Amino acid sequence: MSRQKATASAPPPPELDMVARAVQRLVARNDAVEALSGGGEAAAGLGAGMAAFEAARGAPAPRIGVAQYLERVHRYAGLEPECYVVAYAYVDMAAHRRPAAAVASRNVHRLLLACLLVASKVLDDFHHNNAFFARVGGVSNAEMNRLELELLAVLDFEVMLSHRVYELYHEHLEKEARRDGGGGDMLAGASAAAAAKAGRMAAVSPSKLLERAAVNGAAQHDDWRSLGTAAAAEAANGVRRHRSSSSSRYSFDC
């Protein structure tokens, strides 16, 4: 049975719902800010380093919602649950590296698609190619290639997350789900310690938490930079990395 057929009837993982909730809240806030500014901030963000993710000038935002879009990707691509958490980490990292280009309705679908593509390549030993993701996401293959390259440039190719950073993002998403009053069954298996940590995170993104920890001397460089620069140190200290492909090279299989 193919991976696509095996996952066609499988329910979306809890991580998908958590990411959808967090991203929808981010988009709603940024859309409201842009509406109050008369679209001035949107225009300013076009040249801020993430122009490839913007809808064509004058084109309406996609009518499909974030949750429905992620469910479509899940239905056809069957990504591992961890891919959604890592993709959210990429969204957060991109937003902080390009603050003038707010994550909003006009760009969130393309940004998420690129993040999921890259996360799949980083985490999965066997993954779909760019042409497949393009069909699933509703873009051309050429545009999918551009989106991938744009995201990698924004992230400076720092696409590997240490286990600690992954857990920070996962706990943050759990906290966001609790704030929405959803995900009771989803979070039933969370440990009391993890719940306490998530509750102390307040309304701040993991990127800000990592910056704060670095200032306080509580985080090592491998917690907020590419794991590629810290793999040797982690191996020496016996730190287990989050599951990833056996190959350390990024795959540009278009």
Side-chain angles (χ1 to χ4, degrees):
M1 182 180 294
S2 69
R3 183 180 181 182
Q4 179 178 334
K5 291 181 179 178
T7 59
S9 58
E15 288 80 1
L16 184 154
D17 181 71
M18 291 192 294
V19 169
R21 288 171 182 267
V23 172
Q24 284 171 337
R25 181 182 293 109
L26 175 64
V27 168
R29 182 171 64 246
N30 289 337
D31 282 351
V33 170
E34 289 181 1
L36 289 174
S37 66
E41 293 201 8
L46 286 174
M50 291 205 295
F53 302 104
E54 301 290 339
R57 187 176 293 275
R63 287 179 293 179
I64 185 172
V66 169
Q68 291 74 24
Y69 193 69
L70 292 178
E71 288 168 3
R72 172 182 170 81
V73 174
H74 166 74
R75 183 165 64 250
Y76 293 105
L79 302 179
E80 296 291 338
E82 295 89 346
C83 286
Y84 298 99
V85 179
V86 173
Y88 176 77
Y90 294 160
V91 171
D92 179 65
M93 292 160 63
H96 283 85
R97 294 187 183 207
R98 299 291 189 273
V103 179
S105 297
R106 67 183 188 279
N107 59 26
V108 66
H109 297 82
R110 289 177 175 84
L111 179 59
L112 279 173
L113 183 63
C115 290
L116 289 169
L117 168 68
V118 173
S120 177
K121 289 186 176 184
V122 169
L123 294 176
D124 293 337
D125 292 318
F126 302 98
H127 54 77
H128 299 292
N129 60 22
N130 291 28
F132 181 90
F133 268 89
R135 291 194 299 272
V136 171
V139 300
S140 68
N141 192 25
E143 184 175 7
M144 186 76 258
N145 295 343
R146 287 195 299 272
L147 295 175
E148 178 186 26
L149 289 173
E150 186 85 5
L151 177 64
L152 291 171
V154 170
L155 299 178
D156 197 22
F157 283 82
E158 296 178 359
V159 294
M160 301 295 290
L161 302 184
S162 70
H163 183 76
R164 170 174 159 75
V165 172
Y166 176 86
E167 290 301 327
L168 275 174
Y169 276 105
H170 197 280
E171 290 169 3
H172 174 75
L173 289 168
E174 288 179 341
K175 188 236 8 172
E176 291 295 298
R178 289 190 192 91
R179 191 167 74 170
D180 282 346
D185 294 336
M186 170 200 325
L187 303 177
S191 66
K197 288 182 182 178
R200 290 196 297 269
M201 284 186 180
V204 62
S205 73
S207 285
K208 291 298 183 185
L209 287 172
L210 294 172
E211 291 172 7
R212 183 181 303 168
V215 171
N216 294 331
Q220 301 298 323
H221 70 282
D222 58 313
D223 285 335
W224 55 286
R225 293 184 183 176
S226 168
L227 192 59
T229 62
E234 288 194 339
N237 295 327
V239 178
R240 182 183 178 188
R241 292 189 296 176
H242 181 62
R243 66 181 294 272
S244 63
S245 171
S246 57
S247 172
S248 60
R249 294 184 177 182
Y250 189 80
S251 172
F252 287 99
D253 49 350
C254 301

